[in-house]
Amino acid sequence: MPICDICGETMNFSGQATYIVVPGIDSYVVLCKNCGEKLHALKSKTPTRIPIQYFDPFLKKGDLRPELKDYITQLISEADKRVIELEKRVEVRKQALEKEKERKQEAFYQKADNRKNFKMTTGHQIDGYKVKEYISIVSGEVVLGTGFLTEIAARVSDVLGSGSYAYEEKFGDAKQAALTRAVENALNLGANALLSIDFDILTIANNMIVTCANGTAVFIEKEEE
């Protein structure tokens, strides 16, 4: 019965053993399944420290043939270099992800602060401020599908009653959502105010209704007193 040349395990069948050639040893070196897999893992392009740690006790015992010990030691040395390189790459990637996370958090809080101080008006100017830069015309759209019309129609009792209020409530929510999107688009362009705001309500195919909020994105500064 074959015996593993590293750990000493006795195998019941020769098919359980792995045979390898080691420089300096004339005969084949016999390995059990576990030692064979760990030795193969040392040769991997992306090794871990598990196979390195696995062979450490056998190397320290001093029972291995010198040629086999030198062979395993060389494989461990090469694997250790690759492990260190991989760990460096992982650490660099980790640091990059942390910096990106910090950048996104900073951008989020900055945007939240900008949104808090954002000015809006349906007019062409804001009292106490002057326009430093006209950036772009922006818009925000919200689409109301056929379900909206069906829901409202089912609740209509009369033109001036609860049905009318239901229409107003739905359109009011849609207009606010459209305005929020327009403000987001303005913020993304670096604006801090939205002038000349107006709303459009359009009907498109399949009885769908589009609510649009439009305005001029600008950058304003407080006027000196």
Side-chain angles (χ1 to χ4, degrees):
M1 290 185 291
I3 299 175
C4 179
D5 285 316
I6 295 179
C7 68
E9 178 186 342
T10 300
M11 289 156 279
N12 295 327
F13 304 100
S14 60
Q16 294 177 326
T18 299
Y19 300 87
I20 65 171
V21 176
V22 173
I25 299 179
D26 296 334
S27 60
Y28 285 108
V29 171
V30 182
L31 303 178
C32 65
K33 180 181 178 182
N34 197 24
C35 289
E37 290 176 349
K38 295 296 190 298
L39 199 68
H40 180 73
L42 285 178
K43 301 176 183 179
S44 170
K45 292 182 179 180
T46 55
T48 66
R49 294 201 175 275
I50 294 176
I52 295 176
Q53 295 167 349
Y54 173 81
F55 288 108
D56 190 55
F58 303 116
L59 295 173
K60 289 180 178 178
K61 284 176 63 176
D63 296 338
L64 300 179
R65 282 181 279 183
E67 296 85 357
L68 180 57
K69 182 177 180 180
D70 291 342
Y71 178 70
I72 295 175
T73 301
Q74 180 63 29
L75 290 179
I76 288 176
S77 176
E78 294 171 356
D80 190 55
K81 292 177 182 178
R82 293 196 298 274
V83 168
I84 292 174
E85 181 62 29
L86 286 171
E87 288 175 344
K88 287 180 179 179
R89 292 181 185 177
V90 170
E91 184 61 26
V92 169
R93 177 61 176 165
K94 182 180 177 181
Q95 291 177 358
L97 289 174
E98 288 177 351
K99 288 182 179 180
E100 179 64 14
K101 182 180 178 181
E102 291 175 359
R103 186 193 66 78
K104 287 183 177 180
Q105 286 181 337
E106 184 178 348
F108 173 81
Y109 289 123
Q110 181 63 48
K111 194 171 184 179
D113 188 56
N114 291 343
R115 188 182 294 109
K116 181 180 178 181
N117 298 319
F118 197 86
K119 307 289 184 184
M120 294 181 288
T121 181
T122 55
H124 302 300
Q125 61 182 21
I126 297 175
D127 291 343
Y129 291 84
K130 62 180 179 180
V131 177
K132 184 178 180 181
E133 180 184 0
Y134 289 89
I135 299 175
S136 179
I137 295 173
V138 296
S139 62
E141 299 84 23
V142 172
V143 178
L144 300 174
T146 54
F148 157 74
L149 296 174
T150 303
E151 178 188 346
I152 296 300
R155 295 173 56 187
V156 171
S157 58
D158 57 70
V159 176
L160 299 178
S162 61
S164 176
Y165 175 76
Y167 271 110
E168 293 171 2
E169 186 178 24
K170 286 288 184 180
F171 276 121
D173 291 344
K175 288 171 68 175
Q176 185 58 50
L179 180 59
T180 298
R181 293 182 182 181
V183 170
E184 286 293 327
N185 291 335
L187 284 167
N188 290 336
L189 294 174
N192 62 355
L194 195 60
L195 307 181
S196 307
I197 297 173
D198 68 354
F199 295 91
D200 295 319
I201 297 177
L202 310 171
T203 303
I204 56 178
N206 298 322
N207 291 325
M208 299 181 74
I209 295 177
V210 181
T211 302
C212 302
N214 311 296
T216 303
V218 298
F219 188 87
I220 58 175
E221 288 183 342
K222 208 163 189 177
E223 291 182 341
E224 297 180 1
E225 297 181 357

